[in-house]
Amino acid sequence: MPVLVMKFGGTSVASLDRIRRAAKRVGVEVAKGYDVIVIVSAMSGKTNELVGWVNETSPLFDAREYDAVVSSGEVVTAGLMALTLQEMDVPARSWQGWQVPVRTTSAHSAARIEEIPTSNIIAKFDEGMRVAVVAGFQGISPEGRVTTLGRGGSDTTAVAFAAAFGAERCDIYTDVDGVYTTDPRIAAKARKLDRIAFEEMLELASLGAKVLQTRSVELAMRYNVKLRVLSSFEEQSDEAGTLVCAEEEIMESNVVNGIAYSRDEAKMTLISVADRPGIAAAIFGPLSEAGVNVDMIVQNISEEGRTDMTFSCPTDQVLRAEKALDAARVRGDINYHDLVADTDVAKVSAVGIGMRSQSGVAAQMFRTLSDEGVNIKVIATSEIKISVLIDRKYMELAVQALHDAFELERTA
Ligand code: ADP
Ligand code: ASP
Ligand code: MG
């Protein structure tokens, strides 16, 4: 029988009532003749609570134990979803990551899926089970310990299952009815896109649009998974939501197609480091070993052999970054006068594949921000995006102003 993957995010399984609603939707697809793999997130707010407990217990936590704690939210919803389906007379069984098993790397808290053997679940489908409910976000390392896939990782679980089982489609049910030109919670004028290209979705996700986890888009692109984002709260037709697809399948598109933001950024500046060959390696090597995700990097002008080095990273990694740099200083690998952390910044980015062939987007972006009196602290560009770091208090304003300036409320 054809297989369908249906993923329900946190708000879609936030209560027993919502789980029943999601289960009904699964029942509709089962009635159409699909064998369904349901991927569930933890109830909304649960993972945040668990992460909070870990941080409070141990600020520089052992990531293996972080995973042991934060993977638990999905265990609960997977079991409840299976029970709910059974109550509706749909033959269903739940699976935790290790039972499938979802084999991952041992990079705890940010593991990557390496392999999903299908035989266990297929054997159950052959015995008459119609729905496999799989706890999203979790896997098992080569050492046999539970891993997690990074925040938002259930999306990646879903796409990986769709690829492994050759699913007809991977439907991501969430609390908005598709992918918008920007977060509809920030800009009322945000417009829902019927289709979005993999490359653009990938860029938007990696720049903060949390509607899909970046890695899930990468996998969908690589394995050509038919990926759809839609609402679990509205009645659905087969055309509902947003289809994430190849660029060739999209007729027309704007130069800029989306604005993304990332609220929790920090700007770190090392004041007066020696400007010598190898200095960047001496700084960023230890940061990478400490698991700090460095994003933008700027080396300032050098004077009398010394320079300032600025980089950005997520605010919750500032402590790790400070420790790693301090240790490098104590070892004598680097020396600097001071390390200044500005934790009140946010990143705002404009994304569009049309930028490849059209110039002037950066200039328009800078002009728009300047008209709003927003100061730009750091700039980074690539072929299809421009990102700026600004004071967090201007983030919403900047997103709305850029959405207006690039006329994203209008179709191409
Ligand atoms: P889930 O729990 O279902 O995985 P998430 O909270 O992870 O849901 O992702 C959905 C949220 O993503 C939306 O509620 C919305 O606020 C946010 N979001 C950010 N950017 C966008 C965008 N461009 N389009 C749609 N939603 C977006
Ligand atoms: N529950 C996890 C999180 O909140 C995974 C997910 O929802 O995708 O990050
Ligand atoms: Mg999510």
Side-chain angles (χ1 to χ4, degrees):
M1 276 196 239
V3 173
L4 200 63
V5 171
M6 303 171 76
K7 179 254 172 178
F8 293 93
T11 36
S12 313
V13 292
S15 64
L16 298 185
D17 200 42
R18 296 236 173 117
I19 292 177
R20 268 192 291 274
R21 229 199 289 188
K24 270 196 201 137
R25 190 160 299 243
V26 175
V28 170
E29 301 295 350
V30 170
K32 285 186 201 162
Y34 287 106
D35 278 342
V36 180
I37 299 176
V38 171
I39 310 292
V40 286
S41 291
M43 290 182 176
S44 67
K46 191 70 212 174
T47 311
N48 283 347
E49 183 183 43
L50 296 168
V51 170
W53 288 347
V54 170
N55 279 320
E56 210 176 313
T57 309
S58 171
L60 288 172
F61 51 75
D62 174 338
R64 283 164 294 223
E65 302 309 335
Y66 168 97
D67 279 351
V69 176
V70 306
S71 59
S72 64
E74 274 73 7
V75 174
V76 176
T77 43
L80 289 173
M81 177 63 84
L83 286 171
T84 308
L85 286 160
Q86 288 173 3
E87 286 294 320
M88 292 165 42
D89 293 325
V90 179
R93 181 63 63 211
S94 74
W95 307 74
Q96 294 179 29
W98 64 271
Q99 291 173 302
V100 175
V102 178
R103 294 192 207 285
T104 72
T105 60
S106 42
H108 284 276
S109 84
R112 285 165 80 95
I113 296 177
E114 302 223 292
E115 194 199 353
I116 300 178
T118 54
S119 51
N120 285 342
I121 288 179
I122 287 178
K124 284 284 174 193
F125 278 141
D126 289 345
E127 285 170 24
M129 176 188 73
R130 299 300 308 281
V131 182
V133 184
V134 178
F137 185 48
Q138 326 174 326
I140 182 166
S141 71
E143 295 76 28
R145 297 210 63 91
V146 171
T147 54
T148 63
L149 309 178
R151 297 307 305 272
S154 302
D155 299 328
T156 300
T157 309
V159 175
F161 271 81
F165 284 80
E168 199 170 294
R169 222 173 46 234
C170 181
D171 286 342
I172 306 282
Y173 286 90
T174 183
D175 56 2
V176 283
D177 61 351
V179 178
Y180 280 70
T181 47
T182 191
D183 188 345
R185 293 182 204 290
I186 288 216
K189 289 190 206 160
R191 175 172 53 89
K192 195 192 75 136
L193 300 163
D194 293 331
R195 290 174 176 229
I196 185 167
F198 283 125
E199 288 86 349
E200 277 177 344
M201 191 63 242
L202 193 60
E203 203 72 64
L204 284 174
S206 75
L207 293 168
K210 66 174 181 157
V211 61
L212 286 174
Q213 198 197 33
T214 310
R215 181 87 184 119
S216 72
V217 187
E218 259 168 34
L219 284 182
M221 192 159 135
R222 163 128 47 102
Y223 295 102
N224 215 0
V225 171
K226 194 164 178 200
L227 180 62
R228 199 163 66 134
V229 176
L230 66 177
S231 162
S232 62
F233 300 109
E234 286 166 25
E235 284 312 308
Q236 298 301 350
S237 67
D238 282 349
E239 296 304 310
T242 300
L243 187 68
V244 188
C245 59
E247 205 177 321
E248 299 75 51
E249 293 175 57
I250 298 173
M251 287 305 174
E252 275 170 298
S253 118
N254 291 316
V255 177
V256 171
N257 250 334
I259 308 290
Y261 65 86
S262 167
R263 190 186 302 271
D264 298 310
E265 299 284 322
K267 172 172 163 266
M268 311 279 286
T269 305
L270 280 161
I271 312 251
S272 187
V273 288
D275 188 10
R276 58 166 172 82
I279 189 64
I283 293 170
F284 296 106
L287 287 173
S288 138
E289 275 156 36
V292 177
N293 295 97
V294 171
D295 177 24
M296 301 160 141
I297 299 176
V298 181
Q299 182 174 345
N300 298 18
I301 302 190
S302 172
E303 256 178 81
E304 290 167 11
R306 302 196 76 83
T307 184
D308 295 345
M309 188 80 88
T310 298
F311 63 91
S312 69
C313 70
T315 37
D316 61 3
Q317 294 178 359
V318 166
L319 193 59
R320 268 172 208 276
E322 286 171 343
K323 287 240 170 191
L325 291 172
D326 197 47
R329 171 154 73 171
V330 170
R331 285 196 306 273
D333 295 344
I334 51 175
N335 79 51
Y336 53 87
H337 283 178
D338 205 0
L339 173 58
V340 183
D342 178 354
T343 53
D344 283 324
V345 293
K347 183 171 62 183
V348 175
S349 313
V351 172
I353 36 190
M355 280 187 212
R356 283 188 201 132
S357 51
Q358 184 147 338
S359 59
V361 176
Q364 188 175 357
M365 178 161 179
F366 303 153
R367 201 177 322 113
T368 305
L369 293 173
S370 133
D371 288 349
E372 298 292 337
V374 177
N375 186 34
I376 300 172
K377 300 188 158 196
V378 182
I379 300 168
T381 62
S382 78
E383 208 185 16
I384 65 164
K385 72 120 198 272
I386 301 165
S387 298
V388 294
L389 221 51
I390 59 174
D391 277 331
R392 187 171 305 135
K393 63 180 177 208
Y394 297 126
M395 191 188 79
E396 272 98 346
L397 171 72
V399 169
Q400 288 155 3
L402 292 170
H403 197 272
D404 285 345
F406 291 113
E407 301 186 326
L408 292 190
E409 73 279 9
R410 289 208 223 144
T411 21

